[in-house]
Amino acid sequence: MIKKTTVNTIQNMKNNGEKIAVLTAYDYSTAKYLDEAGVDIILVGDSLANVALGYNSTQSVGMNEMTIFTGAVARGVNRALVVGDMPFMSYNTSIEQAMTNIGEMVKAGANAVKIEGCNDYLIKLIRHCTQSGIPVLGHLGYTPQSSNQIGGHTIQGKTVDAVNKILDEAKKLEEAGVFAIVLELVPEESAKYITENISVPTIGIGAGRFCSGHVMVSDDMLGKFSDYQPTFVRKYVNLKSIILDSAKQFCQDIKDEKYPSEKEVFNLKEEEKEKLLG
Ligand code: KIV
């Protein structure tokens, strides 16, 4: 019997000093293998926009796309906690609009949702979610959906004042009921300080070694996405070259009439063959 990972499992991991492994996934098969490999949280990130749909920005992906891909991932997962990333402007207009969209994400199969940022409105929204039984993963530091406001892909929390601002936001999110907080693009010392001063786990991405866990975009980790690569990415395999080599070999086999071979075809029964061909 497979034991499903819950938000309590994730909190216990922080309490017991066990690191939390988080990867993104966007399709059924990848999600299935990541789950089988023991990944604790599978995030259907809005990075879907860049790595799977080819948009320039995460701001381009919408609710329809996110729920389709979240459904595919959820159908492949038995054990890991599935988190659906709420896309740009799907939760910012009103609590009512946000709760409708968040409900769609949960109906698609997400066990929890991720919401970027911290302000009075978002705190109210997070309270609504947790009171409705929907766990929320917070996201602080660099928040890509606000990249135009922030001024690009830049490291956050570089001064004592800036770290304390993020810590203050983290405490507010914790108070509102988030089960964990992603810290993106933050110096290691800042992420450590924040992690040590809140109770819920932190999940780092470009945030050094001392977060409670770490997240990576699976297409980066697998060497599949090659348009750009952040410095903190560790590539475990070069899927790009494996795909390229396999596709080249397939093309060559077709040209050389090596595919299909005798073993890869269906045949008529002898008597039918006789009747047909004489
Ligand atoms: O969309 C995403 O993949 C993310 C992670 C990088 C945290 O938000």
Side-chain angles (χ1 to χ4, degrees), residues 36-90:
E36 205 178 310
V39 172
D40 300 304
I41 299 177
I42 298 185
L43 170 67
V44 189
D46 62 1
S47 48
L48 163 77
N50 309 105
V51 303
L53 300 178
Y55 293 126
N56 279 331
S57 161
T58 56
Q59 290 157 357
S60 302
V61 75
M63 264 317 286
N64 275 351
E65 290 150 319
M66 287 302 300
T67 49
I68 290 169
F69 287 86
T70 300
V73 166
R75 288 188 284 277
V77 173
N78 288 314
R79 189 194 41 78
L81 187 83
V82 175
V83 179
D85 208 356
M86 293 309 294
F88 180 62
M89 291 310 287
S90 66

Side-chain angles (χ1 to χ4, degrees), residues 10 30 32 75 141 227 246 264 266:
I10 301 301
T30 308
K32 200 169 168 170
R75 288 188 284 277
D227 291 4
S246 311
E264 291 157 326
F266 303 109

Side-chain angles (χ1 to χ4, degrees), residues 8-19:
N8 299 330
T9 323
I10 301 301
Q11 182 64 51
N12 287 337
M13 288 173 80
K14 172 166 180 175
N15 299 346
N16 298 332
E18 185 188 342
K19 294 281 185 178

Side-chain angles (χ1 to χ4, degrees), residues 74-251:
R75 288 188 284 277
V77 173
N78 288 314
R79 189 194 41 78
L81 187 83
V82 175
V83 179
D85 208 356
M86 293 309 294
F88 180 62
M89 291 310 287
S90 66
Y91 56 94
N92 314 73
T93 314
S94 67
I95 298 281
E96 202 183 338
Q97 169 238 21
M99 290 310 291
T100 303
N101 285 330
I102 288 166
E104 288 308 310
M105 194 62 105
V106 174
K107 284 182 207 159
N111 306 125
V113 296
K114 179 162 82 62
I115 288 175
E116 285 188 13
C118 178
N119 56 39
D120 291 347
Y121 165 77
L122 292 173
I123 292 296
K124 196 170 158 201
L125 175 61
I126 291 165
R127 286 216 175 92
H128 262 274
C129 290
T130 49
Q131 282 161 11
S132 310
I134 302 169
V136 178
L137 174 62
H139 187 154
L140 297 174
Y142 177 67
T143 46
Q145 290 176 12
S146 313
S147 62
N148 290 318
Q149 175 82 7
I150 294 171
H153 194 245
T154 50
I155 297 174
Q156 305 295 303
K158 289 199 286 189
T159 63
V160 173
D161 283 352
V163 183
N164 280 322
K165 183 170 178 288
I166 301 176
L167 176 60
D168 187 49
E169 291 174 344
K171 284 183 172 167
K172 285 184 183 154
L173 292 186
E174 176 170 83
E175 240 269 297
V178 298
F179 74 89
I181 301 172
V182 169
L183 287 180
E184 181 162 356
L185 283 188
V186 175
E188 166 164 287
E189 298 78 3
S190 311
K192 183 171 189 279
Y193 182 72
I194 295 162
T195 304
E196 286 171 352
N197 283 285
I198 58 172
S199 307
V200 294
T202 56
I203 309 293
I205 174 154
R209 290 165 290 175
F210 305 110
C211 291
S212 323
H214 301 277
V215 55
M216 202 176 283
V217 169
S218 55
D219 287 50
D220 287 338
M221 186 275 286
L222 296 170
K224 190 172 170 220
F225 184 69
S226 63
D227 291 4
Y228 49 85
Q229 194 184 301
T231 49
F232 53 79
V233 164
R234 184 177 293 178
K235 218 196 266 189
Y236 288 81
V237 64
N238 192 340
L239 267 196
K240 178 189 168 181
S241 69
I242 293 174
I243 294 170
L244 270 176
D245 291 349
S246 311
K248 279 183 195 163
Q249 189 59 55
F250 176 76
C251 294

